[in-house]
Amino acid sequence: MLGSILLSLPVCQLNGVQATYLDHLFIAVSAVCVTGLWTSSIHDTYNIWGQIVMMLLIQTGGLGLMTIISSLYHSLGQKVSLRDEIVTGEALNRSSKFQLGNFLGRIIRYTVIIEGVGMLLLTTFFVPLLGWQQGLFNSLFTAVSAFCNAGFDLLGNDSLIPYQTAGILNWTIMALIVLGGIGFSVWFDITDQIKLHQQNERQKPWRYYLNHLSTHTKLVLTVTGSVILIGAFLFGLVEWQNPATIGQLSVVDKINASFFQTITMRTAGFASIDYSQAHPFSILIFVLTMFIGGGAGGTAGGLKVSTFALTIMLAVRELRQSKYVTFAHHTIPDGLVKTAFVIALFYVALLFSGSALLLLFDPHVPYLYLLFEAISALATVGVSAGLTPDLSTASHFILMALMFIGRIGPMTMFFSLRGRQKRLTDVKYSKADIIIG
């Protein structure tokens, strides 16, 4: 609400802007939910002050308001209550048995370093293109947007389509998306092992330290790498000869564009092709990629790769009639696996409910593209086939609700709906046979 009020002020807008308050509200929700959808062009609506407000909303949404406030408390030497520490830990997908202040401090430091390096790399592209003043600000804005997996840019209404062969721009954005999307815990686990390797004067091989990564880190890296490779291969295979997407590019640029689409589809929202011109099979692959999302406890959205992986592992276990779900020589607790399955089911229900409502209010739009729009909002991705501004007002409210739920996270929504009422008894009745299949 604060963001929408600020964006609606004349001081934040260009002259002659026709955007309504609903447009500013939609963009504020999209920014703080790090999505990237818009109903009014960012480039043609906001001046430098409006863009700064948007950048602050994106940074707040990317790191999480609780993370920022708790970090300020710790940096000022203020005490945080045990209850708030536990709640903040849960928001970061951490147990209560960890040093919150140290963890939050590392998040802020790593964020500043990564976004700073990303900005420096982007200046090599933006400064020659736009000049020093505008080039530096565009570099900062894009670095923050990419790391927070928001997908907003200031280049115009076609995102990165005019620059799909600009290597430094595309690969820097891809790196920022992946670093922001794999989750804070994964960063720290990897950097801790690198520090141990250096402290031990490299007496042990890298394999030793790789084996000592946490099971969560191994799972996230394995599934993330698999999704990116498979998605890039399928997109490249389908679109290789499509002149409206990547068919006119060189072989190297086709490969780069294929990786860019898959990485941005995981949760970021930048676009280097016109999705309305892509093959329907590619759109379906994008829907699945957005559904899976990124790592838990980071800036990414979606179901989360770990939740998706546990759901698949549960299905494989039932098919094989195995007793346990295992990964990397570790057994995953049954309670955790069941929770992942319920969250996945809840997420599917949200997706199809949202897309069904979009179909109700905009029946003239093909369902595949409404599904694409719905998962883009729910997974806080922000890509669009050019539909968002033309949808009905009711659909805009539905998309805002999906973005809000998606940024809060399916796990948070699931546990909030469970309520705090304790069940009086667990009654066990006589067994019943149900025919399934």
Side-chain angles (χ1 to χ4, degrees), residues 208-271:
Y208 171 84
Y209 299 96
L210 291 175
N211 290 335
H212 281 75
L213 291 172
S214 69
T215 306
H216 171 77
T217 298
K218 293 176 182 177
L219 181 64
V220 170
L221 293 178
T222 300
V223 180
T224 297
S226 300
V227 170
I228 291 174
L229 289 173
I230 294 173
F233 173 77
L234 291 175
F235 174 82
L237 185 67
V238 174
E239 301 291 336
W240 196 265
Q241 301 296 333
N242 184 354
T245 54
I246 63 172
Q248 300 293 334
L249 303 179
S250 66
V251 172
V252 173
D253 288 335
K254 285 180 180 180
I255 295 173
N256 290 343
S258 298
F259 275 100
F260 187 89
Q261 306 319 313
T262 304
I263 289 174
T264 194
M265 280 296 171
R266 293 183 61 245
T267 181
F270 293 95

Side-chain angles (χ1 to χ4, degrees), residues 156-177:
N157 300 329
D158 297 323
S159 192
L160 305 183
I161 295 176
Y163 312 101
Q164 62 180 174
T165 59
I168 185 66
L169 175 66
N170 286 266
W171 282 101
T172 301
I173 288 176
M174 281 191 276
L176 289 169
I177 291 169

Side-chain angles (χ1 to χ4, degrees), residues 1 67 89-90 103 110 113 134 152 155 182 205 210 216 262 285 290 295 304 317 319 343 352 373 400 414:
M1 293 302 298
T67 302
E90 290 175 348
F103 189 80
Y110 276 61
I113 292 171
Q134 193 174 354
F152 284 107
L155 293 171
I182 59 176
L210 291 175
H216 171 77
T262 304
I285 292 298
M290 288 189 280
K304 304 297 189 296
R317 184 190 75 173
L319 288 173
I343 291 173
F352 282 101
E373 201 83 5
M400 281 191 281
F414 168 70

